[in-house]
Amino acid sequence: MNKLLITLLLAFSSMMCHATQLDSVFTIQGSKGKLVCRVQLPEHKAGKKLPIAILCHGLHGQQNDALIAEIAKNTLNEGIGVVRLDLNGHGKSDGDFVDMDATNIQQDMRCLIDWTLKQPYTKNISLTGHSLGGIVVGMVAHEYNKYVKGLVLIASGGVAPDLMLMGNFFGIKFDPWNVPEYIELKNGKHLGHNYIVTMRDLPIYPTAKKYTGPALILNGTHDNVVPYTYAQHYADVMKNAELRLIEGDNHMFSVSFTQTALDIAHWLKSKQGK
């Protein structure tokens, strides 16, 4: 009996010696300088390849936003690694907010995807983005159709081109055809000329349509930033999309915060675990 117990303990000890976790902050080169990123891997056997979820925050946000962090926590609990970043001009990454635009933030995401695909532990990837981050991942996903097992668009900002065409960015008015050097937002930040012009003409839906894998589209019915009709349009044009409208919820999903993050993690597991 004692020999059996000792054998089991030694086997368990050996297994633990070969199990590993990772939580590391690092930088990569982005469109406007260094991007501050973070990789987290759940406990796994050394040398084993893992599915990796890449997460992207929204305008004015950063990689540790509450919703992004909650999704990350639940995704790790599902045995999926997580990689996230601060877009240029946001958080701790290089670049000035005024110089950030729809073109260079897509390039930032490509840089992170390319980095992730090169890592020895990467089995496959998914892309998840909130608001502006949804625009970003939705527009680059098709370039990685071979690798992306799932795409999650959370209140993705399909409304943005319409706001720019109207010359009214949440109460800040401007001439959309004679765009100033910048407009000053209510938080004091400057939204630059190039952001307005590139977003005004951005082919969000035709580009997202090119992604052929499974997609999960979420929006609150009481979202006063991105009305849920824009989520419906994503679902209409994308080949393999599942639409979930969350009754009574807002742009930050404060009503269903915990459940939404959990549901996203479960959905990613169902797609990346195959």
Side-chain angles (χ1 to χ4, degrees):
M1 187 68 177
N2 288 339
K3 287 184 178 180
L4 177 60
L5 180 60
I6 291 171
T7 301
L8 290 172
L9 286 172
L10 287 173
F12 179 76
S13 177
S14 177
M15 288 174 61
M16 292 303 295
C17 287
H18 289 85
T20 183
Q21 286 179 293
L22 178 66
D23 188 344
S24 177
V25 175
F26 62 98
T27 62
I28 60 173
Q29 184 64 36
S31 62
K32 292 290 181 180
K34 296 296 184 182
L35 298 171
V36 175
C37 310
R38 182 181 182 185
V39 57
Q40 294 171 281
L41 301 181
E43 187 173 288
H44 63 285
K45 187 177 180 180
K48 180 182 178 181
K49 290 184 177 291
L50 298 170
I52 305 294
I54 299 175
L55 311 182
C56 188
H57 63 81
L59 188 68
H60 306 305
Q62 45 92 14
Q63 62 179 279
N64 293 317
D65 283 349
L67 182 59
I68 296 295
E70 188 71 7
I71 295 168
K73 181 187 76 174
N74 284 283
T75 302
L76 285 163
N77 287 340
E78 293 289 349
I80 298 173
V82 174
V83 177
R84 41 186 156 153
L85 82 167
D86 292 339
L87 294 168
N88 80 80
H90 291 77
K92 296 180 180 180
S93 287
D94 288 347
D96 294 324
F97 186 83
V98 71
D99 296 324
M100 176 267 311
D101 63 37
T103 300
N104 57 46
I105 57 178
Q106 288 180 63
Q107 185 56 33
D108 288 346
M109 181 52 59
R110 292 186 189 99
C111 291
L112 185 59
I113 294 172
D114 291 342
W115 180 90
T116 303
L117 289 173
K118 291 176 182 176
Q119 301 313 302
Y121 46 73
T122 300
K123 177 182 177 183
N124 58 50
I125 62 171
S126 63
L127 304 176
T128 295
H130 175 242
S131 197
L132 175 62
I135 294 177
V136 173
V137 299
M139 292 195 72
V140 303
H142 73 96
E143 301 171 21
Y144 299 90
N145 269 327
K146 180 180 177 181
Y147 305 102
V148 177
K149 300 299 182 181
L151 172 67
V152 183
L153 305 181
I154 311 167
S156 185
V159 67
D162 289 347
L163 297 177
M164 300 309 171
L165 284 167
M166 290 187 294
N168 188 340
F169 190 72
F170 301 110
I172 310 299
K173 296 182 179 181
F174 56 92
D175 183 346
W177 304 113
N178 294 285
V179 180
E181 180 182 353
Y182 62 82
I183 59 173
E184 185 169 344
L185 304 180
K186 293 178 181 179
N187 62 2
K189 290 188 175 182
H190 293 165
L191 198 67
H193 173 98
N194 285 345
Y195 183 94
I196 295 169
V197 171
T198 56
M199 191 62 77
R200 183 192 65 196
D201 303 324
L202 201 63
I204 291 176
Y205 293 104
T207 306
K209 184 179 180 179
K210 297 177 184 179
Y211 169 70
T212 57
L216 177 62
I217 317 295
L218 301 105
N219 223 104
T221 60
H222 289 188
D223 189 336
N224 61 4
V225 177
V226 180
Y228 67 85
T229 52
Y230 289 91
Q232 289 175 320
H233 191 38
Y234 268 115
D236 288 341
V237 303
M238 297 180 75
K239 180 180 179 180
N240 193 12
E242 175 187 347
L243 175 65
R244 296 185 190 177
L245 298 180
I246 302 174
E247 187 64 36
D249 220 337
N250 52 42
H251 192 60
M252 301 308 296
F253 292 81
S254 59
V255 175
S256 67
F257 181 84
T258 302
Q259 189 61 50
T260 292
L262 189 61
D263 289 346
I264 290 170
H266 287 166
W267 188 88
L268 291 173
K269 176 68 172 180
S270 74
K271 303 306 176 186
Q272 289 186 265
K274 294 180 180 180

